[in-house]
Amino acid sequence: MHKYTTHLVKEYDAICIEDLDVKGMLMSHVASKGVHRALFGRFRSYLEYKCKSAGVKLVIANRFYPSTQRCAACGNIKKDDEKITLSGNKKHGTKHNEYVCYNKKCPNYNKVVVRDMNAMMNLTFLIDHPRYNKAL
């Protein structure tokens, strides 16, 4: 983990990560194994002190920022039965790792996008637009 965080700090001028509710995730049987393996809390701690030491900008996304629910192309935010959960979206029959925007004006309308890629683009957006780093 030290090598990876050092690599990130050397490679990028700015980094954005989510403020994950690690304790809450540990309570979920579905997510707990992945959280234990990834050691998010330690990862964040390493990244914070290394970024500070190297002068790299580190943005911590608000815990309730909708990175996985917001369309990176048009900004539309999924609400209620449109939201993607760990089991996907029952209303539209999408899988947990798929993001589909249903805003007809969106360039990605009705296209399946990898949910993690969509979230990554939303988090990258926060680096230059910190005013959007809030719960919606």
Side-chain angles (χ1 to χ4, degrees):
M1 195 174 321
H2 271 295
K3 287 182 182 180
Y4 184 65
T5 52
T6 299
H7 167 75
L8 290 173
V9 170
K10 287 181 178 180
E11 188 72 21
Y12 299 100
D13 296 332
I15 299 169
C16 183
I17 61 171
E18 293 180 290
D19 180 18
L20 298 173
D21 180 14
V22 176
K23 288 182 183 177
M25 291 174 77
L26 290 172
M27 301 306 288
S28 164
H29 175 70
V30 175
S32 65
K33 289 181 182 178
V35 174
H36 281 295
R37 288 186 196 121
L39 300 168
F40 286 124
R42 187 170 299 165
F43 175 79
R44 176 179 169 171
S45 176
Y46 289 175
L47 205 52
E48 285 176 328
Y49 84 76
K50 289 180 182 185
C51 283
K52 185 175 182 179
S53 175
V56 171
K57 181 178 181 180
L58 178 63
V59 176
I60 307 295
N62 183 296
R63 181 171 292 178
F64 300 105
Y65 175 72
S67 63
T68 58
Q69 306 299 329
R70 179 182 182 270
C71 178
C74 73
N76 185 53
I77 298 171
K78 293 184 177 286
K79 294 183 169 124
D80 305 320
D81 62 348
E82 297 283 330
K83 282 188 168 186
I84 306 166
T85 66
L86 289 175
S87 57
N89 180 285
K90 291 180 184 177
K91 178 180 178 180
H92 297 289
T94 55
K95 298 176 185 168
H96 75 282
N97 62 341
E98 298 175 336
Y99 184 92
V100 180
C101 185
Y102 298 106
N103 175 6
K104 291 182 181 182
K105 296 178 182 178
C106 180
N108 285 341
Y109 172 68
N110 235 4
K111 293 180 184 173
V112 176
V113 178
V114 176
R115 185 183 80 168
D116 288 344
M117 289 298 291
N118 183 69
M120 182 269 310
M121 289 186 283
N122 283 322
L123 293 170
T124 302
F125 173 80
L126 288 181
I127 292 171
D128 293 326
H129 305 280
R131 67 184 176 278
Y132 293 103
N133 191 4
K134 57 187 173 190
L136 300 176

